[in-house]
Amino acid sequence: MSSTTSTSSRKKLSHRPLALSSNHWVENGEAPIFTSSFGSAAHSAPRRQPPTLNDITFGDISSMDDSMPVFRQPGSTERALAALSQAKYERMERRRAMILLGVLLLVAVAMHATSNATSKYSNSSSQASKVDNDSRWNFRNKDPSSSEQTSSTQLAEPPDPASASGAQSSPEAEEDPVLAAFQSLEDSSTPSLKNDIPVFWHIPRCAGALMKHITGTCLGLTLSSEEGVRDGHQHDETLKVFTYYGVKYVNVDTTSITGIERARELGLASSEIVPVVFSSYLHLAVSLFDDAHKGRTFTMLRHPVDRSVSMYYYLQKADPSMANVPLIDYARGQGIENNWMVRYLVNQIDGDIDRTALDLAKMILKRKFVIGFLEHKEESIKRFQTYFGWEFPQDDEALAEKQSFCISSILKDGINVNTDGYDVPKKGSQEYSLIAHQNQFDIKLYDYAKEIFEEQSKSYGSKEWKKAEKAKKKASGN
């Protein structure tokens, strides 16, 4: 009986829930179970108790299995959300920047198209007004209201043979007062005639003295320059030729404004004297000629930055006010010239100039000039000789040799050269950049003149030049 009771008691005890510590359940890999604290006969369904830090045994992370819980560091969720928010903000900013850039690009294109459509009318009106109002530079007295600026596409076209003959003025010349002034000059594409008067457009610091010595001393030609009015010849009532230091001069000065007006009054072009006219005032010098007595222009070019630096060192000696001016101040505008070549070609000495003036200058240079370069002096002189018929005499070997030696000596030793020497600022320096900015249109014109020089090689280039150019093209594989 006692054994039976004992057995029954053990069976009842086995059905009682055992209150074990939480460590027991952790050690056996089980989750702790708890029951309702109320003494109801029907127990509620067991629930798993979430583990706490006290229920976890921390140790080596590498020894933890996949079933063990993993805890993040404090604030990791906030940092992750902040990173996502920042990335989203950056994407939105990039998107807005791209949209804004696109809008600005469209606006710029629209403004450029609008300005191109209207600039040729406004620029033409202002330029024509400037030419007509400035009596110092206007000789044709064209009505500005009838002038219309030629487009850059038209300016790049080759010259019209009909206008080159000089029989009739071209429609372009009739519409533009600047072009009309050049109708008394023959086009460079036409052959030179015996009575055509050579006109050397003297760009300051571009071999003016050298050209005077070669044409006057070496080739024995009559010159029209500042020497023509020395010893009181400016008071002569008629034209005549005199000799000074072995060089023949006509008694007028075409390098000054008053001298050109006097030469026109005395009828220099219609006289039997055919001098080489030297002048920097191109539009004034052109007024000397007419349809019956044409002029032919040629010039020597130099890189605008080199020319400006040469002018600076010349002014340091010639102008006391420039003696102590640093090159950097000169480059900033204290005494420096602004796009000298373009301004004197289009007769717009003052005020602002734009791309329209540059296009017009290109057209004038291409149609009316035989081009020479200071860096190719020997080749340039040969081209001038070919163009104007100044070749060495074939029937007088001694004279031909004398002239050739004279030219070679002058080209070697130079004339009016700065013997002290100076350094041209290097490209990329502040001085170079400032000077280039003051001459940005002249630099573009200079680069275009190189193309003209190559084109004119076919007609006036020397055999040596053509041979050298052919060898260069062969070496480059073109």
Side-chain angles (χ1 to χ4, degrees), residues 391-397 400:
E391 292 92 348
F392 303 130
Q394 298 180 354
D395 56 349
D396 192 336
E397 185 176 349

Side-chain angles (χ1 to χ4, degrees), residues 4-161:
T4 305
T5 304
S6 176
T7 303
S8 176
S9 177
R10 285 196 298 269
K11 289 181 179 180
K12 290 180 180 181
L13 289 174
S14 63
H15 291 286
R16 293 177 181 175
L18 300 179
L20 301 178
S21 66
S22 60
N23 289 335
H24 169 80
W25 304 110
V26 173
E27 291 173 359
N28 289 277
E30 301 178 5
I33 301 175
F34 68 94
T35 59
S36 174
S37 59
F38 298 95
S40 173
H43 297 288
S44 61
R47 291 181 295 170
R48 291 189 179 273
Q49 174 68 35
T52 65
L53 291 177
N54 295 327
D55 299 321
I56 303 301
T57 301
F58 293 94
D60 186 7
I61 296 178
S62 60
S63 64
M64 299 173 63
D65 55 23
D66 295 337
S67 64
M68 298 186 69
V70 178
F71 292 90
R72 296 186 178 91
Q73 296 180 355
S76 60
T77 301
E78 288 77 2
R79 288 195 297 272
L81 292 175
L84 291 174
S85 177
Q86 180 66 23
K88 182 178 180 181
Y89 174 77
E90 292 177 354
R91 286 196 302 271
M92 292 297 294
E93 286 298 310
R94 285 195 294 268
R95 187 177 302 171
R96 280 194 290 266
M98 292 299 295
I99 294 173
L100 179 60
L101 182 61
V103 172
L104 291 176
L105 183 60
L106 291 175
V107 172
V109 171
M111 292 179 64
H112 179 71
T114 304
S115 62
N116 284 344
T118 58
S119 61
K120 65 177 182 178
Y121 299 105
S122 60
N123 290 333
S124 173
S125 177
S126 61
Q127 184 175 352
S129 176
K130 172 65 180 178
V131 173
D132 187 63
N133 292 335
D134 192 350
S135 59
R136 174 178 173 180
W137 302 102
N138 182 33
F139 310 109
R140 292 292 178 179
N141 294 323
K142 289 287 181 179
D143 183 7
S145 61
S146 65
S147 64
E148 181 178 353
Q149 185 65 43
T150 308
S151 66
S152 59
T153 305
Q154 292 174 322
L155 298 179
E157 294 179 356
D160 184 7

Side-chain angles (χ1 to χ4, degrees), residues 199-218:
V199 180
F200 181 79
W201 183 40
H202 179 203
I203 302 170
R205 311 306 298 169
C206 287
L210 181 141
M211 289 304 305
K212 291 173 185 176
H213 276 74
I214 289 178
T215 54
T217 304
C218 299

Side-chain angles (χ1 to χ4, degrees), residues 427-473:
K427 194 171 184 178
S429 65
Q430 186 178 11
E431 290 86 352
Y432 187 99
S433 299
L434 289 171
I435 296 173
H437 178 72
Q438 292 284 353
N439 295 277
Q440 53 184 314
F441 289 127
D442 273 9
I443 292 175
K444 293 181 183 298
L445 183 65
Y446 177 85
D447 292 337
Y448 181 72
K450 290 182 178 179
E451 300 177 14
I452 302 175
F453 188 78
E454 291 302 320
E455 291 179 7
Q456 293 179 349
S457 297
K458 302 175 184 178
S459 302
Y460 312 120
S462 65
K463 294 180 180 179
E464 295 81 5
W465 179 269
K466 293 178 181 178
K467 185 176 180 180
E469 289 298 305
K470 187 176 180 180
K472 288 181 182 178
K473 292 181 180 179

Side-chain angles (χ1 to χ4, degrees), residues 300 371-373 376-384 453:
M300 191 81 78
I371 304 296
F373 282 96
H376 302 302
K377 292 180 290 187
E378 184 175 357
E379 170 63 19
S380 300
I381 297 301
K382 291 179 180 179
R383 294 190 181 196
F384 298 154
F453 188 78

